[in-house]
Amino acid sequence: MNVYLLQIINGIGVGMLYFLLAVGLSIVFGLLRFVNFAHGAFYLLGAYFCFQAIQWGLNFWLALAIVPLLVGAGAWVVEKVLLRHVYEQAHEFHILITVGLALVLQELVIVIWGPIGDNVAAPSALQGVVMWGSFIYPKYRLFVIGFTAVFSLLLWYVLEGTRLGSAVRAGSESTEMVSMLGINVFRMFSLVFALGAATAALAGVLAAP
């Protein structure tokens, strides 16, 4: 029975990381109707930026807070400089430019950090295991499940209970109508793309240990 319970909780933990990846991708596609094949590259950057931050002496908690913001800011610049010019093109152009972006980011990671994977230790407070009778499970994986659940509720509130969320949901239905209401649609596009990339980077930071 413990083996089945272990696999169920492992599945929930991995599913939480996939959720963070998927929700950012779905937000971008839902609003921009933009097929972003570079989304996984932001996940990759999140993991390696976390590794580099710890190499520079920062702790995991600072990396968890800072890295998604850095990746989101970089995605904001990429959207403004590169991607904005192909929104009106066919999806084939979206695929070509984002696959190219993903390849560039992947090769940069290899050039900077090498082709061999690196390790990030779990923070000291989350090392070890939790024991419930004969059931044993790593503390860090439980943290990932709990943290992602709380973040999911926060993201739901932002999208459902704030003015920004209302604009994003309205924009996914009709960007023209949102623009006529005085909302800067292109600024909202940049913000949503950055948010999607930041959630992917957050998943990368959580996956790094």
Side-chain angles (χ1 to χ4, degrees), residues 77-95:
V77 173
V78 168
E79 190 276 339
K80 275 187 168 297
V81 173
L82 185 64
L83 303 182
R84 178 175 295 183
H85 304 289
V86 298
Y87 284 154
E88 301 300 326
Q89 304 299 323
H91 286 316
E92 289 82 359
F93 288 91
H94 301 175
I95 294 170

mmCIF file of all heavy atoms in Angstrom, residues 77-95:
data_model
loop_
_atom_site.group_PDB
_atom_site.id
_atom_site.type_symbol
_atom_site.label_atom_id
_atom_site.label_comp_id
_atom_site.label_asym_id
_atom_site.label_seq_id
_atom_site.Cartn_x
_atom_site.Cartn_y
_atom_site.Cartn_z
ATOM 1 N N VAL A 77 11.086 41.703 -22.723
ATOM 2 C CA VAL A 77 11.917 42.342 -23.742
ATOM 3 C C VAL A 77 11.816 41.579 -25.065
ATOM 4 O O VAL A 77 11.672 42.180 -26.140
ATOM 5 C CB VAL A 77 13.385 42.411 -23.275
ATOM 6 C CG1 VAL A 77 14.287 42.912 -24.400
ATOM 7 C CG2 VAL A 77 13.510 43.311 -22.053
ATOM 8 N N VAL A 78 11.877 40.249 -24.998
ATOM 9 C CA VAL A 78 11.787 39.435 -26.216
ATOM 10 C C VAL A 78 10.457 39.661 -26.922
ATOM 11 O O VAL A 78 10.404 39.784 -28.152
ATOM 12 C CB VAL A 78 11.964 37.939 -25.868
ATOM 13 C CG1 VAL A 78 11.582 37.057 -27.052
ATOM 14 C CG2 VAL A 78 13.405 37.664 -25.452
ATOM 15 N N GLU A 79 9.387 39.752 -26.147
ATOM 16 C CA GLU A 79 8.069 39.975 -26.754
ATOM 17 C C GLU A 79 8.018 41.322 -27.455
ATOM 18 O O GLU A 79 7.492 41.428 -28.577
ATOM 19 C CB GLU A 79 6.995 39.891 -25.662
ATOM 20 C CG GLU A 79 5.566 39.875 -26.186
ATOM 21 C CD GLU A 79 5.017 41.260 -26.467
ATOM 22 O OE1 GLU A 79 5.549 42.255 -25.912
ATOM 23 O OE2 GLU A 79 4.049 41.354 -27.260
ATOM 24 N N LYS A 80 8.567 42.349 -26.823
ATOM 25 C CA LYS A 80 8.532 43.687 -27.409
ATOM 26 C C LYS A 80 9.405 43.789 -28.654
ATOM 27 O O LYS A 80 9.014 44.397 -29.661
ATOM 28 C CB LYS A 80 8.999 44.720 -26.379
ATOM 29 C CG LYS A 80 7.905 45.200 -25.439
ATOM 30 C CD LYS A 80 8.403 46.334 -24.571
ATOM 31 C CE LYS A 80 7.263 47.023 -23.850
ATOM 32 N NZ LYS A 80 6.293 47.656 -24.746
ATOM 33 N N VAL A 81 10.588 43.202 -28.608
ATOM 34 C CA VAL A 81 11.563 43.368 -29.688
ATOM 35 C C VAL A 81 11.308 42.420 -30.847
ATOM 36 O O VAL A 81 11.463 42.797 -32.021
ATOM 37 C CB VAL A 81 12.996 43.164 -29.139
ATOM 38 C CG1 VAL A 81 14.026 43.168 -30.261
ATOM 39 C CG2 VAL A 81 13.325 44.230 -28.107
ATOM 40 N N LEU A 82 10.886 41.186 -30.544
ATOM 41 C CA LEU A 82 10.862 40.132 -31.560
ATOM 42 C C LEU A 82 9.462 39.617 -31.883
ATOM 43 O O LEU A 82 9.020 39.653 -33.032
ATOM 44 C CB LEU A 82 11.759 38.980 -31.097
ATOM 45 C CG LEU A 82 11.967 37.825 -32.071
ATOM 46 C CD1 LEU A 82 12.691 38.312 -33.318
ATOM 47 C CD2 LEU A 82 12.765 36.705 -31.388
ATOM 48 N N LEU A 83 8.744 39.171 -30.876
ATOM 49 C CA LEU A 83 7.522 38.415 -31.128
ATOM 50 C C LEU A 83 6.346 39.289 -31.545
ATOM 51 O O LEU A 83 5.466 38.832 -32.283
ATOM 52 C CB LEU A 83 7.144 37.601 -29.875
ATOM 53 C CG LEU A 83 8.220 36.639 -29.361
ATOM 54 C CD1 LEU A 83 7.702 35.871 -28.168
ATOM 55 C CD2 LEU A 83 8.658 35.681 -30.456
ATOM 56 N N ARG A 84 6.315 40.512 -31.074
ATOM 57 C CA ARG A 84 5.179 41.391 -31.371
ATOM 58 C C ARG A 84 4.963 41.567 -32.867
ATOM 59 O O ARG A 84 3.845 41.762 -33.331
ATOM 60 C CB ARG A 84 5.385 42.740 -30.694
ATOM 61 C CG ARG A 84 4.301 43.755 -30.971
ATOM 62 C CD ARG A 84 4.499 45.012 -30.169
ATOM 63 N NE ARG A 84 4.368 44.759 -28.743
ATOM 64 C CZ ARG A 84 4.437 45.711 -27.815
ATOM 65 N NH1 ARG A 84 4.646 46.967 -28.190
ATOM 66 N NH2 ARG A 84 4.313 45.415 -26.543
ATOM 67 N N HIS A 85 6.036 41.456 -33.642
ATOM 68 C CA HIS A 85 5.957 41.734 -35.070
ATOM 69 C C HIS A 85 5.360 40.573 -35.870
ATOM 70 O O HIS A 85 5.147 40.734 -37.087
ATOM 71 C CB HIS A 85 7.349 42.071 -35.610
ATOM 72 C CG HIS A 85 7.995 43.210 -34.889
ATOM 73 N ND1 HIS A 85 7.570 44.523 -35.019
ATOM 74 C CD2 HIS A 85 9.024 43.254 -34.002
ATOM 75 C CE1 HIS A 85 8.319 45.317 -34.273
ATOM 76 N NE2 HIS A 85 9.211 44.574 -33.639
ATOM 77 N N VAL A 86 5.122 39.434 -35.225
ATOM 78 C CA VAL A 86 4.588 38.283 -35.984
ATOM 79 C C VAL A 86 3.219 37.840 -35.462
ATOM 80 O O VAL A 86 2.714 36.806 -35.890
ATOM 81 C CB VAL A 86 5.575 37.093 -35.944
ATOM 82 C CG1 VAL A 86 6.892 37.467 -36.605
ATOM 83 C CG2 VAL A 86 5.811 36.607 -34.520
ATOM 84 N N TYR A 87 2.596 38.605 -34.554
ATOM 85 C CA TYR A 87 1.294 38.210 -34.029
ATOM 86 C C TYR A 87 0.253 38.031 -35.137
ATOM 87 O O TYR A 87 -0.568 37.125 -35.083
ATOM 88 C CB TYR A 87 0.782 39.257 -33.033
ATOM 89 C CG TYR A 87 1.445 39.209 -31.670
ATOM 90 C CD1 TYR A 87 1.511 40.340 -30.873
ATOM 91 C CD2 TYR A 87 1.991 38.030 -31.183
ATOM 92 C CE1 TYR A 87 2.121 40.313 -29.627
ATOM 93 C CE2 TYR A 87 2.600 37.987 -29.949
ATOM 94 C CZ TYR A 87 2.660 39.131 -29.170
ATOM 95 O OH TYR A 87 3.264 39.089 -27.944
ATOM 96 N N GLU A 88 0.297 38.934 -36.118
ATOM 97 C CA GLU A 88 -0.717 38.915 -37.172
ATOM 98 C C GLU A 88 -0.421 37.890 -38.259
ATOM 99 O O GLU A 88 -1.241 37.682 -39.150
ATOM 100 C CB GLU A 88 -0.843 40.306 -37.801
ATOM 101 C CG GLU A 88 -1.214 41.404 -36.814
ATOM 102 C CD GLU A 88 -2.541 41.132 -36.134
ATOM 103 O OE1 GLU A 88 -3.435 40.559 -36.783
ATOM 104 O OE2 GLU A 88 -2.680 41.490 -34.940
ATOM 105 N N GLN A 89 0.736 37.247 -38.163
ATOM 106 C CA GLN A 89 1.093 36.253 -39.178
ATOM 107 C C GLN A 89 0.436 34.905 -38.871
ATOM 108 O O GLN A 89 -0.146 34.705 -37.803
ATOM 109 C CB GLN A 89 2.618 36.093 -39.233
ATOM 110 C CG GLN A 89 3.384 37.386 -39.485
ATOM 111 C CD GLN A 89 3.041 38.023 -40.805
ATOM 112 O OE1 GLN A 89 2.818 37.339 -41.796
ATOM 113 N NE2 GLN A 89 2.990 39.356 -40.826
ATOM 114 N N ALA A 90 0.544 34.004 -39.820
ATOM 115 C CA ALA A 90 -0.009 32.654 -39.633
ATOM 116 C C ALA A 90 0.743 31.916 -38.531
ATOM 117 O O ALA A 90 1.882 32.276 -38.171
ATOM 118 C CB ALA A 90 0.084 31.882 -40.949
ATOM 119 N N HIS A 91 0.107 30.874 -37.991
ATOM 120 C CA HIS A 91 0.717 30.122 -36.887
ATOM 121 C C HIS A 91 2.055 29.502 -37.290
ATOM 122 O O HIS A 91 2.900 29.247 -36.432
ATOM 123 C CB HIS A 91 -0.239 29.031 -36.409
ATOM 124 C CG HIS A 91 -1.392 29.553 -35.617
ATOM 125 N ND1 HIS A 91 -1.247 30.508 -34.642
ATOM 126 C CD2 HIS A 91 -2.717 29.246 -35.649
ATOM 127 C CE1 HIS A 91 -2.423 30.780 -34.100
ATOM 128 N NE2 HIS A 91 -3.334 30.032 -34.705
ATOM 129 N N GLU A 92 2.235 29.238 -38.579
ATOM 130 C CA GLU A 92 3.515 28.675 -39.016
ATOM 131 C C GLU A 92 4.676 29.617 -38.677
ATOM 132 O O GLU A 92 5.756 29.164 -38.298
ATOM 133 C CB GLU A 92 3.495 28.401 -40.525
ATOM 134 C CG GLU A 92 2.609 27.249 -40.952
ATOM 135 C CD GLU A 92 1.150 27.631 -41.067
ATOM 136 O OE1 GLU A 92 0.814 28.810 -40.790
ATOM 137 O OE2 GLU A 92 0.334 26.762 -41.421
ATOM 138 N N PHE A 93 4.440 30.923 -38.789
ATOM 139 C CA PHE A 93 5.473 31.890 -38.429
ATOM 140 C C PHE A 93 5.722 31.879 -36.920
ATOM 141 O O PHE A 93 6.862 32.014 -36.473
ATOM 142 C CB PHE A 93 5.062 33.291 -38.889
ATOM 143 C CG PHE A 93 5.131 33.488 -40.372
ATOM 144 C CD1 PHE A 93 4.029 33.235 -41.167
ATOM 145 C CD2 PHE A 93 6.302 33.913 -40.966
ATOM 146 C CE1 PHE A 93 4.091 33.421 -42.539
ATOM 147 C CE2 PHE A 93 6.382 34.107 -42.341
ATOM 148 C CZ PHE A 93 5.262 33.850 -43.125
ATOM 149 N N HIS A 94 4.662 31.726 -36.134
ATOM 150 C CA HIS A 94 4.818 31.632 -34.681
ATOM 151 C C HIS A 94 5.710 30.444 -34.320
ATOM 152 O O HIS A 94 6.593 30.543 -33.457
ATOM 153 C CB HIS A 94 3.456 31.460 -34.010
ATOM 154 C CG HIS A 94 2.494 32.564 -34.295
ATOM 155 N ND1 HIS A 94 1.184 32.533 -33.866
ATOM 156 C CD2 HIS A 94 2.642 33.734 -34.954
ATOM 157 C CE1 HIS A 94 0.568 33.629 -34.252
ATOM 158 N NE2 HIS A 94 1.430 34.382 -34.919
ATOM 159 N N ILE A 95 5.431 29.324 -34.978
ATOM 160 C CA ILE A 95 6.201 28.110 -34.686
ATOM 161 C C ILE A 95 7.667 28.305 -35.061
ATOM 162 O O ILE A 95 8.574 27.979 -34.283
ATOM 163 C CB ILE A 95 5.596 26.904 -35.431
ATOM 164 C CG1 ILE A 95 4.195 26.596 -34.886
ATOM 165 C CG2 ILE A 95 6.493 25.682 -35.302
ATOM 166 C CD1 ILE A 95 3.427 25.582 -35.697
#
